[in-house]
Amino acid sequence: MKNKEYPTYVFEERMKSIKKNLRNYCNDTLDLHRKSTSLLFNFDEEIAAGVVEKAKELDVCGYEIERSCIRFIAMEQPLATDLMYIESSIRVISHVKRIAYLCRNIAESAATIEGIKVSNKIMGDLEYMADYVQIMLTRGFGSFCNQDISVARELASDDDKVDDLFDIILSHTTELLTEKIQNALEIVNIIFIARYLERIADRVVNIGERVIFINTHKRPHIEELKKEEQ
């Protein structure tokens, strides 16, 4: 009995469907982040509630795409790069789901800082951080959907910038805590929000590392450790 031609038409169509669903999933999460961070500077209860509900929907959607990936492996038995892509997609979905959770956390924390009076410097840095993470998300999701290894490799340096912004915000808010004890809870929530943004950036770097792994068959961190040991 002759082996089926690889890949088959059904195989290609199922692969296209997974890639399309992943792209839509990433785009929805990108929009969720934009809406959640907009609440930091213009809070709206209806939008905040929508962010929370959408995060729940994306959680369910993520599991559905994961199941479709598992069914694909079981039914189509992909080889080599195709198998690596599907396996990596499952891992990327877990990162995207976590990003959606963090967006929900940002929306919920935004309600606690509504109307708080802090320096323009702190809110300006927070806005810059939110915008920078939005750009990172766009680049990170795009690098996976398009398998763009050059963009994936730049995400670590982008993350360093986000880390620097977090350190600046942490320093300024800590100083503020010593001056405005009556607003301590709200100020602490600003730190939490900055932390959520930092964690989103970390997840984007993880996604970029999967792109590098798929295309080079090497784990970035492991290769860096090997260079340091030499």
Side-chain angles (χ1 to χ4, degrees):
M1 181 176 180
K2 293 183 179 180
N3 293 329
K4 291 182 179 179
E5 182 181 352
Y6 181 89
T8 65
Y9 174 78
V10 173
F11 179 103
E12 291 181 334
E13 289 302 305
R14 284 177 174 163
M15 179 67 91
K16 287 179 183 178
S17 177
I18 288 173
K19 289 182 177 180
K20 179 181 178 181
N21 289 338
L22 270 170
R23 187 179 293 274
N24 290 339
Y25 187 53
C26 288
N27 286 338
D28 286 345
T29 306
L30 183 65
D31 185 59
L32 186 72
H33 179 266
R34 180 185 58 78
K35 287 181 179 178
S36 67
T37 54
S38 71
L39 295 168
L40 302 175
F41 315 101
N42 186 21
F43 186 78
D44 183 292
E45 287 188 8
E46 186 175 346
I47 293 176
V51 168
V52 172
E53 287 305 310
K54 187 62 178 180
K56 294 177 182 178
E57 291 177 17
L58 289 173
D59 183 56
V60 174
C61 181
Y63 283 113
E64 289 298 323
I65 302 175
E66 285 180 358
R67 277 194 282 267
S68 69
C69 289
I70 294 170
R71 285 196 299 268
F72 181 84
I73 292 173
M75 297 177 67
E76 297 297 334
Q77 299 179 350
L79 304 175
T81 301
D82 290 326
L83 178 58
M84 187 177 291
Y85 176 83
I86 293 298
E87 188 272 339
S88 292
S89 294
I90 294 173
R91 292 177 181 269
V92 166
I93 290 166
S94 69
H95 291 308
V96 180
K97 282 194 295 185
R98 188 57 193 161
I99 289 169
Y101 295 154
L102 291 167
C103 289
R104 180 191 64 189
N105 291 345
I106 290 171
E108 291 173 342
S109 295
T112 67
I113 66 169
E114 182 186 10
I116 184 176
K117 301 297 182 181
V118 296
S119 70
N120 292 333
K121 170 64 176 172
I122 291 176
M123 294 310 293
D125 286 340
L126 190 64
E127 183 173 16
Y128 182 37
M129 189 177 185
D131 289 343
Y132 205 91
V133 172
Q134 181 79 9
I135 293 171
M136 275 192 74
L137 280 168
T138 302
R139 285 162 56 78
F141 290 160
S143 73
F144 185 78
C145 292
N146 302 320
Q147 288 301 292
D148 190 333
I149 192 171
S150 62
V151 172
R153 282 175 168 155
E154 294 171 355
L155 293 171
S157 60
D158 290 340
D159 183 52
D160 289 340
K161 178 64 176 179
V162 173
D163 289 342
D164 290 342
L165 287 167
F166 174 76
D167 290 340
I168 292 170
I169 292 171
L170 179 61
S171 176
H172 289 164
T173 49
T174 301
E175 290 177 7
L176 197 60
L177 280 171
T178 64
E179 302 171 4
K180 296 187 176 182
I181 303 302
Q182 70 275 18
N183 291 329
L185 181 59
E186 291 85 350
I187 294 169
V188 167
N189 274 307
I190 291 177
I191 297 174
F192 283 152
I193 291 168
R195 177 58 177 156
Y196 298 146
L197 290 169
E198 183 193 35
R199 290 170 65 189
I200 289 173
D202 290 340
R203 294 284 175 169
V204 176
V205 172
N206 293 149
I207 292 171
E209 288 175 350
R210 296 309 301 181
V211 176
I212 295 170
F213 181 63
I214 292 171
N215 289 276
T216 67
H217 299 181
K218 296 178 181 179
R219 293 176 59 189
H221 287 324
I222 297 300
E223 294 306 308
E224 289 173 7
L225 288 173
K226 286 181 179 179
K227 289 179 181 179
E228 291 175 1
E229 291 173 356
Q230 292 176 353

